[in-house]
Amino acid sequence: HYDAEGKIMEEGIINDSAKYDGEIKWYYPSGAVRIAGFYRDTVPFGDWNEYYPDSSNKARYSYIKGKLSGSYKYYHPNGYLWTERYYKEGKLWNVLIINDSKGKPLAKGDLTDGTGSVKVYDENNVETALLFYKYDFLVASANLPNPSLRRLSTNQYDDNRR
């Protein structure tokens, strides 16, 4: 697919049903690859890569049967690893590391096997949110623009779901 100016925005394999099936790439207006991955009969699978406009790595992750699976690495624009997370059947299972923009470790929370907290940081290394998971479901989140919690939202969950 091309934009109105004739610049490529997307390329890939589309099957007889007009659905993605095979390698697919999306592009920035500059022509640099933005996202590259694979579909199998419209379902994401295999290794995916995202890039910043300068073509440096932004994220690397994998899908199995349309669900995030295994290591998910996200990078700061300067190339340092920002976070590495582990997904199990599409659910956030563990946060292995969170680094600041200079590669120094930041507090990550205590998420283990889908239960616990995850700290979220912005590009200036400021903690902006705290997420709470139970049995791999997000049950609460707190925005932290300053030391006091401005908003706490919770979702109902059933302790007997597992």
Side-chain angles (χ1 to χ4, degrees), residues 10-158:
E10 171 185 76
E11 71 178 337
I13 299 171
I14 297 178
N15 66 19
D16 293 338
S17 302
K19 306 284 185 180
Y20 293 128
D21 193 17
E23 185 175 13
I24 184 80
K25 291 181 182 178
W26 288 275
Y27 294 87
Y28 287 103
S30 67
V33 175
R34 187 170 56 93
I35 301 172
F38 298 88
Y39 283 90
R40 181 173 288 152
D41 195 27
T42 72
V43 176
F45 84 99
D47 295 333
W48 284 65
N49 296 298
E50 292 185 33
Y51 303 94
Y52 286 105
D54 69 357
S55 299
S56 62
N57 289 325
K58 185 174 187 178
R60 294 180 179 272
Y61 46 92
S62 295
Y63 286 99
I64 295 177
K65 297 181 182 176
K67 295 180 180 181
L68 283 172
S69 185
S71 176
Y72 181 107
K73 293 181 180 181
Y74 192 85
Y75 297 87
H76 286 282
N78 65 7
Y80 282 106
L81 180 64
W82 192 329
T83 185
E84 182 174 5
R85 300 169 176 212
Y86 184 82
Y87 284 82
K88 184 176 180 181
E89 298 179 1
K91 307 286 185 170
L92 179 58
W93 203 246
N94 289 306
V95 175
L96 304 174
I97 193 164
I98 299 176
N99 292 324
D100 70 13
S101 58
K102 295 181 180 172
K104 294 181 183 174
L106 295 169
K108 59 186 172 104
D110 62 2
L111 183 74
T112 303
D113 297 340
T115 298
S117 65
V118 176
K119 295 184 180 222
V120 178
Y121 298 87
D122 68 13
E123 62 278 354
N124 297 311
N125 309 317
V126 174
E127 185 179 347
T128 59
L130 186 59
L131 308 176
F132 300 92
Y133 290 83
K134 186 159 188 171
Y135 305 126
D136 65 30
F137 288 94
L138 180 65
V139 294
S141 63
N143 291 333
L144 304 170
N146 58 50
S148 63
L149 301 179
R150 283 202 320 180
R151 185 181 120 242
L152 182 65
S153 65
T154 59
N155 296 323
Q156 294 297 322
Y157 59 89
D158 179 359

